[in-house]
Amino acid sequence: MSDVQVWIKETVTNNPVVLFMKGTAQFPQCGFSGRAIQILKACGAQSPVTVNVLEDPVVRQGIKDYANWPTIPQLYVNGEFIGGSDIMNEMFESGELQALIKG
């Protein structure tokens, strides 16, 4: 396992809510990342950890490899890969994401 894979695994397992995104929570750099942050706020996520993949191309590729998921943003809750903004939106509308984050 490469250094970036180890770092990603430690990040997602040591923090309850982690969002790998383009930009920051304060200044998302794409609409999907912006929507993901809005959903997390609406779910009441307390201080989610965000990782700006635009700052490091190794992390940007590494997270795609880690989850075997080609797009960003990517949400992890309690170390488990949840999905991107579309999946987050579906889970939010059903109430499933709120329960997962508060659980």
Side-chain angles (χ1 to χ4, degrees):
M1 190 178 277
S2 72
D3 290 346
V4 73
Q5 295 295 309
V6 170
W7 179 82
I8 289 168
K9 182 174 183 169
E10 289 175 354
T11 300
V12 301
T13 55
N14 292 336
N15 298 286
V17 179
V18 181
L19 182 68
F20 287 82
M21 63 181 290
K22 293 178 181 176
T24 64
Q26 296 76 26
F27 194 65
Q29 295 288 302
C30 81
F32 296 110
S33 291
R35 178 70 182 134
I37 286 294
Q38 289 176 339
I39 292 168
L40 287 178
K41 286 180 181 175
C43 287
Q46 299 297 317
S47 304
V49 171
T50 59
V51 178
N52 181 359
V53 300
L54 298 178
E55 292 179 344
D56 188 341
V58 175
V59 172
R60 185 176 185 170
Q61 184 58 49
I63 194 60
K64 293 177 183 181
D65 297 339
Y66 182 82
N68 195 25
W69 191 263
T71 59
I72 294 164
Q74 291 185 18
L75 176 66
Y76 293 79
V77 177
N78 299 320
E80 180 184 348
F81 174 60
I82 303 303
S85 61
D86 291 346
I87 293 170
M88 289 175 66
N89 196 51
E90 289 172 17
M91 290 177 71
F92 175 73
E93 288 178 359
S94 73
E96 191 178 352
L97 189 59
Q98 296 88 316
L100 190 63
I101 287 175
K102 291 183 179 175

